[in-house]
């Protein structure tokens, strides 16, 4: 009986030891923690993290303003050259496929344009002396408004559509110069006049498109916009009449200020 009891105790202890070993020992399940390693530059996750598509554009541009229709006739074929700048933001860069479409729908722009000088000539008589009268009009316009642009394709040469709306202020300087028909009588010529023309506020709505070049941060674009402008008031050059008391009279005309505006742009993409 004592021998049996001793044997039972030894067997029981061995069982407990085996059970304890099972609890303390974690069986191998085929999984080995991967050691740390450099990120693969070809990994798609890395490309998603380091997405090179821009969300913000800063641009500087040079517009060439070409009046159309009645505006062109009234201005005697003048044209304008200026400079401007703008900003554009794409709020949907993470919601659309940027390789197909990039909607920069939030933007602002401004520009200033100098228009070519207009001149006309006539003759007048003061104190029985004849004088040639030269009338010159220099016009400029400042514009400020909203703009948007939608780019297509992720290629080095990409097309885009553009639209804009805003306000434009026309201003000008008018000059009248008198030249005596007889050079010996120039001392009797009326004093030359120079005065600022009261400006006209207008609105414009534009649409168009163009082509962009480049995929890096610095890019170049060619764009053509068709702008429909509201009416502005202008002096009719042929109506200017000089008076003996160094004043002048003239008539005004109104016309829509429609223009076609080709534009060269340099832009920085962020």
């Amino acid at each position: 009986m004592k021998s049996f009891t001793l044997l039972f105790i030894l067997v029981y202890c061995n069982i407990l030891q085996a059970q304890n070993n099972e609890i303390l020992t974690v069986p191998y399940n085929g999984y080995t923690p991967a050691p740390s390693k450099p990120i693969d530059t070809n990994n798609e996750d890395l490309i998603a993290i380091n997405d090179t598509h821009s969300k913000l554009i800063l641009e500087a541009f040079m517009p060439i303003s070409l009046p159309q229709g009645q505006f062109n006739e009234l201005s005697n074929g003048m044209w304008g050259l200026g400079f401007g700048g703008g900003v554009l933001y794409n709020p949907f860069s993470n919601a659309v496929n940027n390789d197909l479409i990039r909607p920069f729908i939030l933007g602002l722009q401004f520009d200033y344009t100098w228009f070519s000088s207009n001149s006309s000539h006539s003759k007048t008589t003061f104190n029985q002396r004849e004088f040639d009268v030269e009338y010159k009009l220099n016009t400029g316009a400042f514009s400020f408004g909203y703009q948007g642009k939608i780019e297509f394709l992720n290629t080095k040469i990409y097309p885009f559509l553009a639209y804009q709306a805003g306000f434009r202020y026309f201003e000008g300087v008018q000059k009248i110069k008198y030249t005596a028909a007889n050079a010996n009588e120039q001392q009797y010529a009326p004093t030359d006049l120079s005065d600022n023309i009261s400006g006209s506020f207008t609105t414009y709505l534009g649409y168009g498109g163009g082509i962009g070049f480049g995929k890096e941060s610095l890019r170049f674009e060619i764009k053509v916009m068709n702008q429909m402008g509201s009416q502005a008031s202008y002096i009719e050059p042929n109506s200017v009449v000089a008076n003996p008391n160094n004043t002048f009279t003239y008539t005004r005309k109104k016309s829509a200020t429609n223009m076609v505006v080709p534009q060269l742009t340099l832009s920085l993409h962020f």
Side-chain angles (χ1 to χ4, degrees), residues 132-194:
D132 294 323
V133 183
E134 181 184 21
Y135 170 79
K136 283 187 176 182
L137 174 63
N138 298 316
T139 306
F142 176 78
S143 304
F144 177 80
Y146 163 80
Q147 68 166 337
K149 180 175 70 169
I150 301 177
E151 298 179 349
F152 301 95
L153 306 179
N154 184 26
T155 54
K156 288 187 176 181
I157 300 177
Y158 55 90
F160 63 87
L161 298 177
Y163 48 93
Q164 54 189 208
F167 300 92
R168 177 172 287 126
Y169 177 73
F170 286 92
E171 61 179 359
V173 176
Q174 55 196 1
K175 297 180 179 181
I176 296 180
K177 181 179 180 180
Y178 302 91
T179 304
N182 185 342
N184 295 330
E185 297 180 342
Q186 183 61 33
Q187 58 181 320
Y188 302 106
T191 303
D192 294 343
L193 300 179
S194 179

Side-chain angles (χ1 to χ4, degrees), residues 33-184:
S36 59
K37 61 181 179 179
I39 299 176
D40 185 2
T41 57
N42 294 322
N43 193 303
E44 292 182 356
D45 294 335
L46 178 65
I47 296 176
I49 295 174
N50 296 329
D51 191 354
T52 58
H53 293 297
S54 59
K55 297 182 180 179
L56 182 70
I57 299 175
L58 297 179
E59 60 181 16
F61 55 85
M62 182 180 69
I64 302 173
S65 300
L66 306 175
Q68 301 294 303
Q70 188 180 5
F71 185 28
N72 182 54
E73 297 174 2
L74 184 60
S75 64
N76 293 326
M78 73 177 184
W79 60 278
L81 181 66
F83 73 95
V87 59
L88 289 154
Y89 178 69
N90 177 6
F92 303 115
S93 59
N94 296 325
V96 299
N97 186 345
N98 289 273
D99 289 333
L100 297 178
I101 185 171
R102 297 177 294 281
F104 294 90
I105 62 172
L106 300 177
L108 294 173
Q109 70 169 37
F110 71 92
D111 64 72
Y112 188 87
T113 300
W114 292 272
F115 287 94
S116 56
S117 177
N118 288 325
S119 62
S120 62
H121 296 266
S122 62
K123 293 183 180 296
T124 190
T125 301
F126 293 107
N127 299 325
Q128 299 180 348
R129 295 180 176 88
E130 188 176 88
F131 296 90
D132 294 323
V133 183
E134 181 184 21
Y135 170 79
K136 283 187 176 182
L137 174 63
N138 298 316
T139 306
F142 176 78
S143 304
F144 177 80
Y146 163 80
Q147 68 166 337
K149 180 175 70 169
I150 301 177
E151 298 179 349
F152 301 95
L153 306 179
N154 184 26
T155 54
K156 288 187 176 181
I157 300 177
Y158 55 90
F160 63 87
L161 298 177
Y163 48 93
Q164 54 189 208
F167 300 92
R168 177 172 287 126
Y169 177 73
F170 286 92
E171 61 179 359
V173 176
Q174 55 196 1
K175 297 180 179 181
I176 296 180
K177 181 179 180 180
Y178 302 91
T179 304
N182 185 342
N184 295 330

Side-chain angles (χ1 to χ4, degrees), residues 25-33:
T25 302
V26 178
Y28 174 75
N29 58 8
Y31 171 77
T32 301

Side-chain angles (χ1 to χ4, degrees), residues 198-209:
S198 58
S200 292
F201 274 105
T202 65
T203 59
Y204 66 90
L205 178 66
Y207 61 90

Side-chain angles (χ1 to χ4, degrees), residues 255-268:
S255 75
T257 52
N258 299 339
M259 293 188 289
V260 172
V261 185
Q263 181 175 303
L264 303 176
T265 302
L266 283 176
S267 58
L268 284 176

Side-chain angles (χ1 to χ4, degrees), residues 209-244:
I211 298 176
F213 302 87
K215 294 182 66 176
E216 307 300 329
S217 297
L218 181 63
R219 304 184 188 182
F220 173 74
E221 293 179 351
I222 299 176
K223 177 169 64 176
V224 178
M225 300 298 295
N226 182 29
Q227 294 183 349
M228 298 171 289
S230 61
Q231 284 193 342
S233 176
Y234 292 93
I235 292 176
E236 185 179 6
N238 295 331
S239 71
V240 177
V241 177
N243 303 315

